[in-house]
């Protein structure tokens, strides 16, 4: 005896839907649904972008302080500039004492004796002339050492000025930081 399939339930015409079953949205509703910013400007995205920039700046600052070529500005890049930096950092220079000397002179101006004030300024000017002489000697020595190491025709322009300006800065304030100890001149 074969089973006959169960008869299907008759469809009720009153429950069937015609079309898509919902109202068509207006044009204004469709445009509002499509509008979104090209770059999401959420608070989280701003905070993340700010943190990424801060970490990138910190990496660049540390890299520049350590003398990594990738992070150095154009004026500090190159083997001759590195040689000049190391040459200057290996020696003692009068220019490192200019700021402390100026502080001493400023303190001396508060002493109400004209004699002390006058001689403090005279001593400062004499010291500055010695610093200028030290800068000139440093410039000549760096150029000569670079000429001996890299060749006379390959000496970069402005190398003496670069070295003399570095010699005036206090050692702990120099950027990139000193990579050699005092007395450890580059070969």
């Amino acid at each position: 005896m074969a089973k006959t399939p169960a008869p299907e339930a008759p469809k009720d015409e009153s429950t069937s839907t015609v079309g898509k079953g919902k109202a068509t949205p207006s044009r204004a509703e469709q445009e509002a649904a499509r509008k979104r910013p090209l770059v999401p400007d959420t608070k989280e995205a701003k905070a993340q972008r700010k943190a990424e920039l801060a970490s990138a700046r910190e990496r660049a600052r540390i890299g520049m302080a350590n003398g990594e070529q990738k992070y150095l500005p154009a004026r500090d890049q190159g083997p001759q500039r590195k040689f000049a930096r190391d040459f200057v950092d290996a020696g003692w220079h009068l220019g490192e004492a200019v700021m402390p000397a100026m502080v001493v002179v400023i303190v001396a101006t508060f002493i109400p004796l004209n004699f002390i004030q006058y001689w403090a300024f005279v001593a400062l000017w004499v010291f500055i002339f010695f610093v200028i002489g030290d800068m000139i000697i440093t410039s000549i020595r760096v150029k000569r050492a670079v000429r001996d190491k890299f060749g006379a025709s390959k000496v970069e322009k402005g190398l003496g000025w670069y070295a003399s300006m570095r010699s005036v800065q206090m050692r702990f304030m120099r950027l990139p930081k000193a990579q050699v100890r005092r007395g450890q001149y580059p070969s």
Side-chain angles (χ1 to χ4, degrees), residues 12-33:
D12 187 13
E13 294 295 324
S14 63
T15 60
S16 68
T17 57
V18 177
K20 60 185 176 248
K22 61 180 180 176
T24 302
S26 68
R27 172 174 275 186
E29 290 171 346
Q30 287 178 339
E31 287 177 354

Side-chain angles (χ1 to χ4, degrees), residues 83-93 96 138 142 162-164 166-168 171 174 182 185-186:
F83 182 85
R85 282 195 305 272
D86 291 345
F87 193 91
V88 170
D89 293 340
W92 290 90
H93 301 282
E96 297 177 44
T138 301
V142 166
Y162 178 77
S164 62
R166 188 166 175 92
S167 72
V168 176
R171 184 178 171 94
R174 295 176 183 163
R182 294 205 192 257
Y185 286 92

Side-chain angles (χ1 to χ4, degrees), residues 102-166:
M102 288 185 176
V103 170
V104 169
V105 170
I106 290 172
V107 169
T109 60
F110 289 117
I111 299 173
L113 298 172
N114 290 338
F115 173 79
I116 293 176
Q117 293 175 357
Y118 174 78
W119 286 107
F121 277 108
V122 169
L124 178 65
W125 278 106
V126 169
F127 181 69
I128 287 175
F129 287 125
F130 278 111
V131 168
I132 291 170
D134 183 46
M135 289 172 62
I136 292 169
I137 291 169
T138 301
S139 173
I140 292 169
R141 288 180 61 209
V142 166
K143 285 184 201 176
R144 185 178 304 140
V146 168
R147 194 175 311 117
D148 292 344
K149 180 171 179 154
F150 295 99
S153 63
K154 298 185 180 189
V155 176
E156 293 179 11
K157 282 189 173 184
L159 201 60
W161 180 255
Y162 178 77
S164 62
M165 286 292 101
R166 188 166 175 92

Side-chain angles (χ1 to χ4, degrees), residues 18-62:
V18 177
K20 60 185 176 248
K22 61 180 180 176
T24 302
S26 68
R27 172 174 275 186
E29 290 171 346
Q30 287 178 339
E31 287 177 354
R34 278 196 314 264
K35 282 188 179 175
R36 63 183 191 279
L38 294 176
V39 177
D41 231 6
T42 62
K43 286 184 181 180
E44 297 85 25
K46 284 182 183 177
Q48 182 181 2
R49 189 169 52 244
K50 188 175 179 181
E52 288 171 357
L53 285 173
S55 67
R57 277 194 303 269
E58 183 65 15
R59 273 193 314 265
R61 186 189 66 76
I62 291 170

